[in-house]
Structures are given as C-alpha cells and as structure tokens.
C-alpha cells in the first residue's frame, strides 16, 4: 500500500489502531482488545463473513527497530452454504495474523511493506487477507452429508433409499440395436432355416 493512500487514514475507523503509547522504544509492548464491525468483501463464492457483523480482535503491539510488529487473533462468524446439499450453514472461524508496520521515516528495501502514518496503521487489509485465506473452499454442513441427487435434486439425507433406474451410458448404443429388433431377427433367422430345409 502506498504512502499517499495511507495518509488518508481516519483515526475514528474501528480498524485503525494508534501506536502512540509505544513511543518508538524497542521492546515496549501493548495489548489491545476490541470488537469491530466486519468490513466488506471478506468472503469467497460459497462462504464468508457477513458485512457489519461483530468481530472479536485481540492484538499485541510491539515496538521493534524498524517499526511496530502486530500479532493478532480474530474470531469471526461465517455464513454460507454447504457445497453438497446447498443448505445454509454458519460457523465460527479463529484466525491468527502478524504484520510489521514500518516507521514512516525508516529506510527499507521493502517498498511494499505497510507503513505507519504518524502513529496510526490500518489493520483492515491484513485482517481481510488472513480471513479469506483461512476460509474453507468447499464447506459442508456435516462430513457425512449425502448431498443432492444428481438426477432430480432430492436431498439424499431425507430420502436414504432414493435411486433411479438408469442404464450404463457405455451400453446405450448397443441397447438401441436390440430394443424391438430381437424378435425381428429371430423371425428372419427362422425363415432362413425353413428355406434351407426345403432345399
């Protein structure tokens, strides 16, 4: 994130944290706990954190030579749908994250490293990355969820004996040869046999 965008940080934002109490003294430490509303776009296609729900954050801020090392744990509620049966599901997710925020006047080769703006830093990008990377790609309501019937969409858990009489598609071409033509073949064969006997 570039410095010119960071300069627009709003100290009233719940995910903007003030490090002034650390005083740039390496080794000084401060713990912060807060409840914040979830920002937008903390999700993937099938599951995510609903925007605005409360998130529990426990942060540890530690001053180091280059800046402020932030370690944290977030507990977030998830909402989505089971990829097998498509029923809605809810979960709690606990994620850990860590980021070093460089002092504004610190010289470093890491141009992409996030920097403090004065004494402030924005936790939102780091939190979003940590949560989205921890989301299950294929959430299920239960490990043994039966899912939906591929033919008609019936919930298999509610209909354990559900099945369809379907022919193996590998035999479909042969089935067309024999359906309705077997009797005709038998008649033709019998006629030829009778002709041969007469000769």
């Amino acid at each position: 994130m570039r410095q010119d965008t960071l300069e627009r940080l709003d100290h009233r934002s719940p995910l903007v944290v003030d490090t002034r109490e650390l005083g740039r003294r390496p080794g000084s430490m401060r713990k912060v706990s807060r409840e914040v509303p979830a920002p937008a776009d903390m999700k993937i296609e099938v599951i995510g954190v609903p925007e605005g729900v409360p998130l529990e954050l426990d942060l540890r801020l530690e001053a180091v030579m280059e800046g402020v090392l932030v370690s944290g744990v977030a507990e977030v509620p998830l909402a989505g749908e089971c990829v097998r049966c498509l029923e809605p599901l809810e979960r709690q997710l606990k994620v850990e994250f860590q980021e070093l925020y460089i002092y504004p006047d610190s010289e470093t080769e890491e141009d992409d490293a996030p920097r403090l703006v004065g004494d402030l830093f924005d936790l939102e990008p780091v939190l979003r990355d940590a949560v989205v990377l921890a989301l299950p790609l294929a959430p299920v309501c239960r490990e043994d969820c039966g899912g939906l019937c591929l033919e008609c969409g019936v919930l298999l858990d509610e209909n354990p004996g559900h099945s369809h009489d379907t022919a193996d598609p590998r035999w479909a071409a042969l089935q067309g040869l024999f359906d309705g033509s077997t009797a005709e073949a038998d008649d033709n064969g019998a006629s030829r046999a009778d002709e041969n006997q007469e000769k």
Side-chain angles (χ1 to χ4, degrees):
M1 196 177 294
R2 293 183 176 275
Q3 184 71 12
D4 54 359
T5 57
L6 283 173
E7 286 172 355
R8 293 195 293 269
L9 288 184
D10 182 357
H11 69 279
R12 295 168 297 181
S13 171
L15 286 170
V16 171
V17 181
D18 193 341
T19 67
R20 188 179 304 120
E21 292 182 14
L22 296 177
R24 291 204 182 192
R25 297 183 305 273
S28 59
M29 189 269 293
R30 176 185 168 215
K31 290 186 177 181
V32 177
S33 294
R34 61 175 62 172
E35 183 178 279
V36 300
D41 299 324
M42 292 177 62
K43 61 185 178 180
I44 56 176
E45 186 175 351
V46 290
I47 194 167
V49 181
E51 184 176 355
V53 299
L55 312 181
E56 297 289 338
L57 297 179
D58 289 310
L59 307 177
R60 174 190 170 102
L61 315 180
E62 185 176 359
V64 295
M65 292 297 294
E66 301 87 356
V68 177
L69 180 64
V70 179
S71 305
V73 176
E75 293 190 25
V76 300
L78 303 179
E81 62 182 28
C82 174
V83 295
R84 294 181 190 166
C85 67
L86 306 183
E87 290 294 305
L89 59 83
E90 295 182 352
R91 293 278 187 276
Q92 283 291 124
L93 179 67
K94 187 174 184 177
V95 294
E96 298 181 2
F97 52 89
Q98 188 173 73
E99 186 65 83
L100 175 63
Y101 292 86
I102 306 297
Y103 291 128
D105 54 359
S106 176
E107 294 183 7
T108 176
E109 296 178 359
E110 298 181 36
D111 293 335
D112 295 333
R115 288 183 177 266
L116 292 166
V117 180
D119 298 306
L120 303 176
F121 68 86
D122 185 5
L123 188 64
E124 183 175 334
V126 172
L127 178 62
R128 179 182 288 108
D129 288 349
V131 170
V132 171
L133 288 174
L135 292 175
L137 296 178
V140 291
C141 57
R142 299 187 327 277
E143 289 301 322
D144 61 345
C145 174
L148 301 175
C149 172
L150 297 177
E151 295 288 330
C152 64
V154 164
L155 278 170
L156 297 179
D157 286 336
E158 295 180 0
N159 300 273
H162 179 78
S163 64
H164 293 273
D165 293 330
T166 56
D168 189 326
R170 295 172 294 182
W171 296 103
L174 291 177
Q175 186 176 359
L177 294 176
F178 293 107
D179 286 348
S181 59
T182 306
E184 183 181 341
D186 289 344
D187 291 343
N188 290 339
S191 299
R192 290 193 196 98
D194 291 340
E195 289 175 4
N196 289 337
Q197 282 182 356
E198 290 175 0
K199 291 178 181 177

